[in-house]
Amino acid sequence: MLSDEKQRHPFLEGLSKHRGAPPTVVVIFGASGDLTARKLVPAIYNLSLDNLLPPDFYLVGFGRKPLADNAFREAVTEAVRSYSRREFQPEIWKRVGGNALYHQGAYDEPAPYRSLRERIEAVEAEIGREVQVVFYISTPPSVFKPILENLGASGLARRHLHTPFASKVVIEKPFGSDLESARELNRVITEQFDERQVYRIDHYLGKETVQDLLVQRFANSIFEPLWNRRYVECVQITVAEDLGVGSRGSYYEQSGAMRDMIQNHTMQLLSLIAMEPPVSLDPEDIRDEKVKLLKAIQPLDLDENASDVVRAQYSEGLIGGRKVLGYTDEEGVASNSATETYTALRLSINNWRWAGVPFYMRSGKRMARRVSEIAVQFKRPPGILFSDAERFDLASNTMVIQIQPDEGTTLLLNSKIPGLETRTQPVKMHFRYRTTYGSNTPEAYERLILDAMVGDSTLFIRGDETEASWYLITPILEHWRKLGRRGMASYVAGSWGPLASERLLWDNRHEWRRAGP
Ligand code: BG6
């Protein structure tokens, strides 16, 4: 039995109103950025709509360009109007939006940090209480380091340390661009902050369906006996988008699918679906298991003829009947670009549970449809009774957890077609969030911002976790860098990816699922 303490764990309490955060100032670095407008500010609005913000809550935007407090207030209000999942209610927003402050300064100069500290102390003097400060770093990665160092030098990082008002720092991706840069970033962070103050974001962990992976796996007894190499044939993880790179071409050129999606989001899905049961829901226990899993993944074979990895770029094609550009014709993209917009990998996990079970992962832009799913394909039944292929269309039992959209779980079974003759057909059992729970689930960022405010790091990445993932991926990136464009496959926009990615599965006589419900 769990102790009372464990049962009160914040992961279990979720967005409950009992999770009081202390008085809080959230300082967003990169205040005029796209993420702030599209995700962060609307998330804060929705938290205030649910009455989940502490009564003393202040929003401060930190940015380079000069802006009056009033202009910032208008900008955040406009962001809520445009991007909130629920309707804008001026009365609700007045308390937060009406008090929002803008702090202008260069990220790499000490003076604005000193004046920021004074502003925060003025808030404390005004309300007569201490406040915790959550620094949300949502800038380009080139300024992560000066921001962190200046937070340290100004004393902001260690304010009220070892009290409930200790500062916290939330860091957006990209967390480094390879193993060495991730290590360096971890070094800079831990020089200024204790690991307990640090919240590395992967917004996939805030998605309702991703949290549900822990519940589906460990709150049901029927799966665990089957969740291993004796019964599982292979696992396929697909994170497909129909969007192209849009206006983010110059960012994406430095990133590519491997850094943008695989190193973080897809690896997180893999660790949660394959890790061992943690001994408790304590964040450290869960993250220990994820790290163990990542460390058990074998180095990938990069040999041209047996490579475990495929990369490709999309060429011109049709999405939803509309003609779209090829990647190298997109704005901000070099015509001879060697950046991949699609990656597929074949992984082996060398542990007792998974030895011999291939894990396939793929992610790409401009694919046939937007769908993220994890499919656990079980071994085929022995064809002793139903072996006549004409009449018996036997499928492998497959459990498909659809992360988005149309969130839910589907189980693929074989069934008898009603009639006097015995014929079989694969059928699907569906559980859909929409029909069971309605569709108004919180956005990932609502959960994550609240978690950081109340100090629950379960859904954030630990330093060693991100390094374990980079350890696996960096040799591939290095290999590709040497090859330039050589070996880059291509796929038509609107398709399911390059032929080469099919070959990745042929060795084991597998094929990619047609992803989706
Ligand atoms: C971001 C990537 O981390 O995730 C984007 O940088 C990608 O390129 C996005 O489009 C996908 O997130 P979601 O929540 O829409 O699946």
Side-chain angles (χ1 to χ4, degrees), residues 238-306:
T238 300
V239 179
E241 296 181 278
D242 54 359
L243 291 177
V245 291
S247 57
R248 296 164 79 221
S250 52
Y251 151 78
Y252 200 83
E253 277 285 87
Q254 308 304 316
S255 166
M258 188 67 109
R259 290 188 173 96
D260 190 48
M261 300 297 281
I262 300 279
Q263 187 275 337
N264 32 63
H265 308 323
T266 323
M267 281 294 180
Q268 284 299 320
L269 298 182
L270 171 70
S271 3
L272 288 169
I273 202 73
M275 71 182 193
E276 293 301 312
V279 293
S280 83
L281 287 177
D282 187 88
E284 300 315 320
D285 290 335
I286 295 177
R287 300 193 293 185
D288 284 350
E289 292 307 333
K290 289 202 285 173
V291 171
K292 259 169 60 187
L293 189 279
L294 290 171
K295 285 187 173 165
I297 302 174
Q298 294 308 285
L300 277 82
D301 193 339
L302 301 176
D303 182 84
E304 214 174 313
N305 301 316

Coordinates of all heavy atoms in Angstrom, one line a residue, residues 238-306:
T238 N 4.9 6.9 -34.5 CA 4.8 7.8 -35.6 C 4.4 9.2 -35.1 O 3.5 9.3 -34.3 CB 3.7 7.4 -36.6 OG1 4.0 6.1 -37.1 CG2 3.5 8.4 -37.7
V239 N 5.2 10.2 -35.5 CA 4.8 11.6 -35.2 C 4.9 12.3 -36.5 O 5.9 12.8 -36.9 CB 5.8 12.3 -34.1 CG1 5.4 13.7 -33.8 CG2 5.8 11.5 -32.8
A240 N 3.7 12.4 -37.1 CA 3.6 12.9 -38.5 C 2.9 14.3 -38.5 O 1.9 14.4 -37.7 CB 2.9 12.0 -39.4
E241 N 3.4 15.2 -39.3 CA 2.7 16.5 -39.4 C 2.4 16.7 -40.9 O 3.2 16.4 -41.7 CB 3.6 17.6 -38.9 CG 4.0 17.5 -37.4 CD 4.8 18.7 -37.0 OE1 6.0 18.6 -37.2 OE2 4.3 19.7 -36.5
D242 N 1.3 17.4 -41.2 CA 1.1 17.7 -42.6 C 1.6 19.1 -42.9 O 1.8 19.5 -44.0 CB -0.4 17.6 -43.0 CG -1.3 18.4 -42.0 OD1 -0.8 19.0 -41.1 OD2 -2.5 18.4 -42.2
L243 N 1.9 19.9 -41.8 CA 2.5 21.2 -42.1 C 3.9 21.1 -42.6 O 4.6 20.2 -42.3 CB 2.5 22.0 -40.7 CG 1.2 22.4 -40.1 CD1 1.5 23.1 -38.7 CD2 0.5 23.4 -41.0
G244 N 4.3 22.2 -43.3 CA 5.7 22.3 -43.8 C 6.4 23.1 -42.7 O 6.0 23.3 -41.6
V245 N 7.5 23.7 -43.1 CA 8.3 24.5 -42.2 C 7.8 26.0 -42.1 O 8.1 26.7 -41.2 CB 9.8 24.5 -42.5 CG1 10.4 23.2 -42.2 CG2 10.1 25.0 -43.9
G246 N 6.9 26.3 -43.0 CA 6.2 27.6 -42.9 C 7.3 28.7 -42.9 O 8.2 28.8 -43.7
S247 N 7.1 29.7 -41.9 CA 8.0 30.8 -41.8 C 9.2 30.5 -41.0 O 10.0 31.4 -40.7 CB 7.2 32.0 -41.2 OG 6.7 31.6 -40.0
R248 N 9.3 29.2 -40.5 CA 10.4 28.9 -39.6 C 11.6 28.3 -40.3 O 12.5 27.6 -39.8 CB 9.9 27.9 -38.6 CG 8.9 28.4 -37.6 CD 8.2 27.3 -36.9 NE 9.0 26.8 -35.8 CZ 9.1 25.5 -35.5 NH1 8.6 24.6 -36.3 NH2 9.8 25.1 -34.5
G249 N 11.7 28.5 -41.7 CA 12.7 27.9 -42.5 C 14.1 28.1 -41.9 O 14.9 27.2 -41.8
S250 N 14.5 29.3 -41.5 CA 15.9 29.6 -41.1 C 16.2 28.9 -39.8 O 17.3 28.4 -39.5 CB 16.2 31.0 -41.0 OG 15.2 31.7 -40.3
Y251 N 15.1 28.8 -38.9 CA 15.4 28.0 -37.6 C 15.5 26.5 -38.0 O 16.5 25.8 -37.6 CB 14.2 28.1 -36.7 CG 14.0 26.9 -35.8 CD1 14.8 26.6 -34.7 CD2 13.0 25.9 -36.1 CE1 14.6 25.5 -33.9 CE2 12.8 24.8 -35.3 CZ 13.6 24.6 -34.3 OH 13.5 23.4 -33.5
Y252 N 14.6 26.0 -38.9 CA 14.6 24.6 -39.2 C 15.9 24.1 -39.9 O 16.3 23.0 -39.7 CB 13.4 24.3 -40.0 CG 13.0 22.8 -40.0 CD1 12.2 22.3 -38.9 CD2 13.4 21.9 -41.0 CE1 11.9 21.0 -38.9 CE2 13.1 20.6 -40.9 CZ 12.3 20.1 -39.9 OH 12.0 18.8 -39.8
E253 N 16.4 25.0 -40.7 CA 17.7 24.7 -41.4 C 18.8 24.2 -40.4 O 19.6 23.4 -40.7 CB 18.2 25.9 -42.2 CG 17.5 26.0 -43.6 CD 18.1 25.0 -44.6 OE1 17.5 23.9 -44.6 OE2 19.0 25.3 -45.3
Q254 N 18.8 24.8 -39.2 CA 19.8 24.5 -38.2 C 19.4 23.3 -37.4 O 20.1 22.8 -36.6 CB 20.0 25.7 -37.2 CG 20.2 27.0 -37.8 CD 21.4 27.0 -38.7 OE1 22.5 26.4 -38.3 NE2 21.3 27.6 -39.9
S255 N 18.2 22.8 -37.6 CA 17.6 21.8 -36.7 C 17.4 20.5 -37.4 O 18.2 19.6 -37.3 CB 16.3 22.4 -36.1 OG 15.6 21.4 -35.5
G256 N 16.3 20.5 -38.3 CA 16.0 19.2 -39.0 C 15.2 18.3 -38.1 O 15.1 18.6 -36.8
A257 N 14.6 17.3 -38.7 CA 13.6 16.5 -37.9 C 14.3 15.8 -36.7 O 13.6 15.6 -35.7 CB 13.0 15.4 -38.9
M258 N 15.5 15.4 -36.9 CA 16.2 14.6 -35.8 C 16.3 15.5 -34.5 O 15.9 15.0 -33.4 CB 17.6 14.2 -36.2 CG 18.3 13.3 -35.3 SD 17.4 11.7 -35.2 CE 18.6 10.7 -36.0
R259 N 16.7 16.7 -34.7 CA 16.8 17.6 -33.5 C 15.5 18.1 -33.1 O 15.2 18.3 -31.9 CB 17.8 18.7 -33.8 CG 19.2 18.4 -33.9 CD 20.1 19.6 -34.0 NE 21.5 19.3 -34.0 CZ 22.3 19.2 -35.1 NH1 21.7 19.3 -36.3 NH2 23.5 19.0 -35.0
D260 N 14.7 18.4 -34.0 CA 13.4 19.1 -33.7 C 12.4 18.2 -33.1 O 11.6 18.6 -32.2 CB 12.8 19.7 -35.1 CG 11.7 20.6 -34.8 OD1 11.8 21.5 -34.0 OD2 10.6 20.5 -35.5
M261 N 12.3 16.9 -33.5 CA 11.3 16.1 -33.0 C 11.8 14.8 -32.4 O 11.2 14.3 -31.4 CB 10.3 15.7 -34.2 CG 9.6 16.8 -34.9 SD 8.5 17.7 -33.8 CE 7.1 16.7 -33.8
I262 N 12.8 14.1 -33.0 CA 13.2 12.8 -32.5 C 13.9 12.9 -31.2 O 13.5 12.2 -30.2 CB 14.1 12.1 -33.6 CG1 13.3 11.9 -34.9 CG2 14.6 10.8 -33.0 CD1 12.4 10.8 -35.0
Q263 N 14.9 13.7 -31.1 CA 15.7 13.8 -29.9 C 14.9 14.0 -28.6 O 15.2 13.5 -27.5 CB 16.8 14.9 -30.0 CG 17.8 14.9 -28.9 CD 17.4 15.7 -27.7 OE1 16.5 16.6 -27.8 NE2 18.0 15.4 -26.5
N264 N 13.8 14.7 -28.8 CA 13.0 15.1 -27.6 C 11.7 14.4 -27.6 O 11.5 13.4 -26.8 CB 12.8 16.6 -27.5 CG 12.8 17.2 -29.0 OD1 11.8 16.9 -29.7 ND2 13.7 18.0 -29.3
H265 N 10.7 14.9 -28.4 CA 9.3 14.4 -28.3 C 9.2 12.8 -28.5 O 8.6 12.1 -27.7 CB 8.4 15.0 -29.3 CG 8.5 16.5 -29.2 ND1 8.6 17.2 -28.1 CD2 8.4 17.5 -30.2 CE1 8.7 18.5 -28.3 NE2 8.5 18.7 -29.6
T266 N 9.8 12.4 -29.6 CA 9.7 10.9 -29.9 C 10.4 10.0 -28.9 O 9.9 9.0 -28.5 CB 10.2 10.7 -31.3 OG1 9.8 11.8 -32.1 CG2 9.5 9.5 -31.9
M267 N 11.6 10.5 -28.5 CA 12.3 9.7 -27.5 C 11.6 9.7 -26.1 O 11.6 8.7 -25.4 CB 13.7 10.4 -27.2 CG 14.7 10.1 -28.2 SD 15.1 8.3 -28.2 CE 16.2 8.2 -29.5
Q268 N 10.8 10.7 -25.8 CA 10.0 10.7 -24.6 C 8.9 9.7 -24.7 O 8.6 8.9 -23.8 CB 9.4 12.1 -24.3 CG 10.4 13.1 -23.8 CD 11.0 12.6 -22.4 OE1 10.3 12.1 -21.6 NE2 12.3 12.8 -22.3
L269 N 8.3 9.6 -25.9 CA 7.2 8.6 -26.1 C 7.8 7.2 -25.9 O 7.2 6.4 -25.3 CB 6.6 8.8 -27.4 CG 5.9 10.1 -27.7 CD1 5.2 10.1 -29.1 CD2 4.8 10.4 -26.7
L270 N 9.0 7.1 -26.5 CA 9.6 5.7 -26.4 C 9.9 5.4 -25.0 O 9.6 4.3 -24.5 CB 10.9 5.8 -27.3 CG 11.8 4.5 -27.1 CD1 11.2 3.3 -27.7 CD2 13.2 4.8 -27.7
S271 N 10.5 6.3 -24.2 CA 10.8 5.9 -22.9 C 9.6 5.6 -22.0 O 9.6 4.7 -21.2 CB 11.7 7.0 -22.1 OG 11.9 8.1 -22.8
L272 N 8.5 6.3 -22.2 CA 7.3 6.1 -21.4 C 6.7 4.7 -21.8 O 6.1 4.0 -20.9 CB 6.3 7.2 -21.5 CG 6.8 8.5 -20.8 CD1 5.9 9.6 -21.2 CD2 6.8 8.3 -19.3
I273 N 6.7 4.4 -23.1 CA 6.0 3.2 -23.5 C 6.9 1.9 -23.1 O 6.4 0.8 -22.9 CB 5.7 3.2 -25.0 CG1 4.6 2.2 -25.3 CG2 6.9 2.9 -25.9 CD1 3.2 2.7 -24.9
A274 N 8.2 2.1 -23.0 CA 9.1 0.9 -22.8 C 9.7 0.8 -21.5 O 10.3 -0.3 -21.2 CB 10.1 0.9 -23.9
M275 N 9.7 1.8 -20.7 CA 10.4 1.8 -19.4 C 9.8 0.8 -18.4 O 8.7 0.3 -18.6 CB 10.5 3.2 -18.7 CG 9.1 3.6 -18.2 SD 9.2 5.2 -17.5 CE 7.7 5.2 -16.5
E276 N 10.6 0.4 -17.4 CA 10.1 -0.5 -16.4 C 9.2 0.3 -15.5 O 9.3 1.5 -15.4 CB 11.3 -1.0 -15.5 CG 12.3 -1.9 -16.3 CD 11.5 -3.1 -16.9 OE1 10.8 -3.8 -16.1 OE2 11.7 -3.4 -18.1
P277 N 8.3 -0.4 -14.7 CA 7.5 0.4 -13.8 C 8.4 1.1 -12.7 O 9.3 0.5 -12.2 CB 6.7 -0.7 -13.1 CG 6.9 -2.0 -13.8 CD 8.1 -1.8 -14.7
P278 N 8.1 2.4 -12.5 CA 8.9 3.1 -11.5 C 8.4 2.6 -10.1 O 7.3 2.1 -9.9 CB 8.5 4.5 -11.7 CG 7.2 4.5 -12.4 CD 7.1 3.2 -13.1
V279 N 9.3 2.7 -9.1 CA 8.9 2.3 -7.7 C 7.9 3.2 -7.1 O 7.1 2.7 -6.2 CB 10.1 2.1 -6.8 CG1 11.0 1.0 -7.2 CG2 10.9 3.4 -6.6
S280 N 7.8 4.4 -7.5 CA 6.7 5.3 -7.1 C 6.5 6.4 -8.1 O 7.2 6.4 -9.1 CB 7.1 5.9 -5.7 OG 7.9 7.1 -6.0
L281 N 5.6 7.3 -7.9 CA 5.3 8.4 -8.8 C 6.2 9.6 -8.5 O 6.0 10.6 -9.1 CB 3.8 8.8 -8.8 CG 2.9 7.8 -9.4 CD1 1.4 8.2 -9.3 CD2 3.2 7.6 -10.9
D282 N 7.1 9.4 -7.6 CA 8.1 10.5 -7.4 C 8.8 10.8 -8.7 O 9.2 9.9 -9.4 CB 9.1 10.0 -6.3 CG 10.0 11.1 -5.9 OD1 9.6 11.8 -4.9 OD2 11.0 11.3 -6.5
P283 N 8.9 12.1 -9.0 CA 9.6 12.5 -10.3 C 10.9 11.8 -10.5 O 11.2 11.4 -11.6 CB 9.8 14.0 -10.1 CG 8.8 14.5 -9.1 CD 8.5 13.3 -8.2
E284 N 11.7 11.7 -9.4 CA 13.0 11.1 -9.6 C 12.9 9.6 -10.0 O 13.7 9.1 -10.8 CB 13.9 11.3 -8.4 CG 14.2 12.7 -8.0 CD 14.5 13.6 -9.2 OE1 15.3 13.1 -10.1 OE2 14.0 14.7 -9.3
D285 N 12.0 8.9 -9.3 CA 11.8 7.5 -9.6 C 11.4 7.3 -11.1 O 11.8 6.4 -11.8 CB 10.7 6.9 -8.7 CG 11.3 6.8 -7.3 OD1 12.5 6.7 -7.1 OD2 10.4 6.8 -6.3
I286 N 10.5 8.1 -11.6 CA 10.0 8.0 -13.0 C 11.2 8.3 -13.9 O 11.5 7.6 -14.9 CB 8.8 9.0 -13.3 CG1 7.6 8.5 -12.4 CG2 8.5 9.0 -14.8 CD1 6.4 9.4 -12.6
R287 N 11.9 9.4 -13.6 CA 13.0 9.8 -14.5 C 14.2 8.8 -14.5 O 14.8 8.6 -15.5 CB 13.4 11.3 -14.2 CG 12.2 12.2 -14.4 CD 12.5 13.6 -14.5 NE 13.0 14.2 -13.2 CZ 13.2 15.5 -13.1 NH1 12.9 16.4 -14.1 NH2 13.6 16.0 -12.0
D288 N 14.4 8.2 -13.3 CA 15.4 7.1 -13.2 C 15.1 6.0 -14.3 O 16.0 5.5 -15.0 CB 15.5 6.5 -11.8 CG 16.2 7.4 -10.8 OD1 16.8 8.4 -11.2 OD2 16.0 7.1 -9.6
E289 N 13.8 5.6 -14.3 CA 13.4 4.6 -15.2 C 13.6 5.0 -16.7 O 14.0 4.2 -17.5 CB 12.0 4.1 -15.0 CG 11.8 3.4 -13.6 CD 12.8 2.2 -13.4 OE1 13.2 1.6 -14.4 OE2 13.0 1.9 -12.2
K290 N 13.3 6.2 -17.0 CA 13.4 6.7 -18.4 C 14.9 6.7 -18.8 O 15.2 6.3 -19.9 CB 12.8 8.1 -18.5 CG 11.3 8.1 -18.4 CD 10.6 9.3 -19.1 CE 10.8 10.5 -18.2 NZ 10.4 11.7 -18.9
V291 N 15.7 7.1 -17.9 CA 17.2 7.2 -18.2 C 17.7 5.8 -18.4 O 18.4 5.5 -19.4 CB 18.0 7.9 -17.1 CG1 19.5 7.8 -17.3 CG2 17.6 9.4 -17.0
K292 N 17.3 4.8 -17.5 CA 17.7 3.4 -17.7 C 17.4 2.9 -19.1 O 18.1 2.2 -19.7 CB 17.0 2.6 -16.6 CG 17.9 2.3 -15.4 CD 17.2 1.6 -14.3 CE 16.5 0.3 -14.7 NZ 15.6 -0.1 -13.5
L293 N 16.1 3.2 -19.5 CA 15.7 2.7 -20.8 C 16.5 3.3 -21.9 O 17.0 2.6 -22.8 CB 14.2 3.1 -20.9 CG 13.4 2.6 -22.1 CD1 13.6 3.3 -23.4 CD2 13.6 1.1 -22.4
L294 N 16.7 4.7 -21.8 CA 17.5 5.3 -22.9 C 18.9 4.7 -23.0 O 19.5 4.6 -24.1 CB 17.6 6.8 -22.7 CG 16.3 7.6 -22.9 CD1 16.4 9.0 -22.4 CD2 15.8 7.6 -24.3
K295 N 19.5 4.4 -21.8 CA 20.8 3.8 -21.8 C 20.9 2.4 -22.4 O 21.9 2.0 -22.8 CB 21.4 3.9 -20.4 CG 21.8 5.2 -19.9 CD 22.4 5.2 -18.6 CE 23.0 6.5 -18.2 NZ 23.4 6.6 -16.8
A296 N 19.7 1.8 -22.4 CA 19.7 0.4 -22.9 C 19.6 0.3 -24.4 O 19.7 -0.7 -25.0 CB 18.6 -0.4 -22.3
I297 N 19.4 1.5 -25.1 CA 19.2 1.5 -26.5 C 20.6 1.3 -27.1 O 21.6 2.0 -26.7 CB 18.6 2.8 -27.0 CG1 17.2 3.0 -26.4 CG2 18.5 2.8 -28.6 CD1 16.6 4.3 -26.7
Q298 N 20.7 0.4 -28.1 CA 22.0 0.1 -28.7 C 22.4 1.2 -29.7 O 21.6 1.8 -30.3 CB 21.9 -1.2 -29.4 CG 21.7 -2.4 -28.5 CD 22.8 -2.4 -27.4 OE1 23.9 -2.7 -27.6 NE2 22.4 -2.0 -26.2
P299 N 23.7 1.5 -29.8 CA 24.2 2.4 -30.8 C 23.6 2.0 -32.2 O 23.6 0.8 -32.5 CB 25.7 2.3 -30.8 CG 26.0 1.7 -29.5 CD 24.8 0.8 -29.1
L300 N 23.3 3.0 -33.0 CA 22.7 2.6 -34.3 C 23.8 2.3 -35.3 O 24.9 2.8 -35.3 CB 21.9 3.8 -34.8 CG 20.5 3.8 -34.2 CD1 20.5 4.4 -32.9 CD2 19.5 4.5 -35.1
D301 N 23.4 1.3 -36.2 CA 24.3 1.0 -37.3 C 24.1 2.0 -38.4 O 23.0 2.3 -38.9 CB 23.8 -0.4 -37.8 CG 24.9 -1.0 -38.8 OD1 25.7 -0.2 -39.3 OD2 24.9 -2.2 -38.9
L302 N 25.3 2.6 -38.8 CA 25.2 3.7 -39.8 C 25.7 3.2 -41.2 O 25.8 4.0 -42.1 CB 25.9 4.9 -39.3 CG 25.4 5.5 -38.0 CD1 26.3 6.7 -37.5 CD2 24.0 6.0 -38.2
D303 N 26.1 2.0 -41.2 CA 26.7 1.4 -42.5 C 25.7 1.6 -43.6 O 24.5 1.3 -43.4 CB 27.0 0.0 -42.3 CG 27.6 -0.6 -43.5 OD1 28.8 -0.5 -43.6 OD2 26.9 -1.2 -44.3
E304 N 26.2 2.1 -44.7 CA 25.3 2.5 -45.8 C 24.3 1.3 -46.2 O 23.1 1.6 -46.5 CB 26.1 2.8 -47.0 CG 25.5 3.9 -47.9 CD 26.4 4.3 -49.0 OE1 27.6 4.5 -48.7 OE2 26.0 4.3 -50.1
N305 N 24.8 0.1 -46.2 CA 23.9 -1.0 -46.6 C 23.0 -1.6 -45.6 O 22.1 -2.4 -45.9 CB 24.8 -2.1 -47.2 CG 25.6 -1.6 -48.3 OD1 25.1 -0.9 -49.2 ND2 26.9 -1.9 -48.3
A306 N 23.3 -1.3 -44.3 CA 22.5 -1.9 -43.3 C 22.0 -0.8 -42.3 O 21.8 -1.1 -41.1 CB 23.3 -2.9 -42.5

